[in-house]
Amino acid sequence: MSVQERKQRERAERERLIVATARELAEQQGWDAVTTRRLAERIEYSQPVLYSHFRGKREIIGAVALEGAAELAAAVRAAASGADGPRERVAALARAYLDFAAHNPAVYDALFQLDGGLAYAQEDTPEPLKDAFAALLETLGEVAGGGVEPGLFTETFWAALHGLATLTRAGRLPPEYTGQRVELLVDRLAIA
């Protein structure tokens, strides 16, 4: 291995450590607790080292969002692929999405609530974000129905899931009825 390759590998490892530490701190204490000073202390690097990887917290949030998008895509694909029939696939996708949001609140915030400097629904949208949407579209597109553009249907269904995730997490909706909400959403919107 050349010196250049070793340096690149070490740089990538430092970046992964910064992102993992930011994510861990955000999950434990919220995004307000994630500061470059705190990250530098936790990973035992100087703040200038952090700034050599990320210009600030916004870029770190963006990196966590991209990582989370890949995880979300994998989760909904795995759930949908393990189900038989369109209704079951959509219900499995919805449950996986809501489970991801509930079990990864800081990552979910990085993806959909905070400014990570990422472009959404544009030509320059990063691939992990495009792929997360594609993972939803793969299942939801098949139930969009005649005359309904699959991407538009997917956006609408996703918005409903996001609303359920956000309102449940904020304590505005009792979590014990999440299963019933998924069933209503699938039966009334996706399988009409």
Side-chain angles (χ1 to χ4, degrees), residues 167-189:
L167 291 170
T168 301
R169 196 166 128 213
R172 305 298 197 280
L173 296 175
E176 62 268 19
Y177 297 110
T178 298
Q180 290 170 296
R181 289 187 196 99
V182 167
E183 294 301 316
L184 278 171
L185 187 59
V186 171
D187 288 340
R188 302 300 165 118
L189 186 58

Side-chain angles (χ1 to χ4, degrees), residues 7-26:
K7 285 183 179 185
Q8 287 175 341
R9 189 184 76 228
E10 288 172 355
R11 181 172 176 76
E13 287 173 10
R14 272 193 312 272
E15 242 173 62
R16 278 192 295 278
L17 179 61
I18 293 166
V19 171
T21 304
R23 181 176 175 167
E24 179 184 317
L25 187 57

Side-chain angles (χ1 to χ4, degrees), residues 59-98:
E59 284 189 3
I60 294 169
I61 290 169
V64 170
L66 293 177
E67 189 176 271
E71 293 170 11
L72 177 60
V76 298
R77 280 189 176 114
S81 72
D84 292 325
R87 186 194 186 289
E88 292 77 16
R89 280 191 292 280
V90 172
L93 173 147
R95 285 189 296 273
Y97 183 97
L98 294 172

Side-chain angles (χ1 to χ4, degrees), residues 23-96:
R23 181 176 175 167
E24 179 184 317
L25 187 57
E27 292 291 1
Q28 291 171 352
Q29 300 176 31
W31 278 104
D32 287 343
V34 179
T35 64
T36 53
R37 184 181 57 71
R38 255 191 162 160
L39 285 173
E41 287 171 4
R42 282 212 175 187
I43 64 172
E44 299 178 346
Y45 283 111
S46 67
Q47 283 182 290
V49 170
L50 262 73
Y51 285 116
S52 74
H53 291 275
F54 300 99
R55 287 183 290 210
K57 183 175 176 176
R58 182 178 186 218
E59 284 189 3
I60 294 169
I61 290 169
V64 170
L66 293 177
E67 189 176 271
E71 293 170 11
L72 177 60
V76 298
R77 280 189 176 114
S81 72
D84 292 325
R87 186 194 186 289
E88 292 77 16
R89 280 191 292 280
V90 172
L93 173 147
R95 285 189 296 273

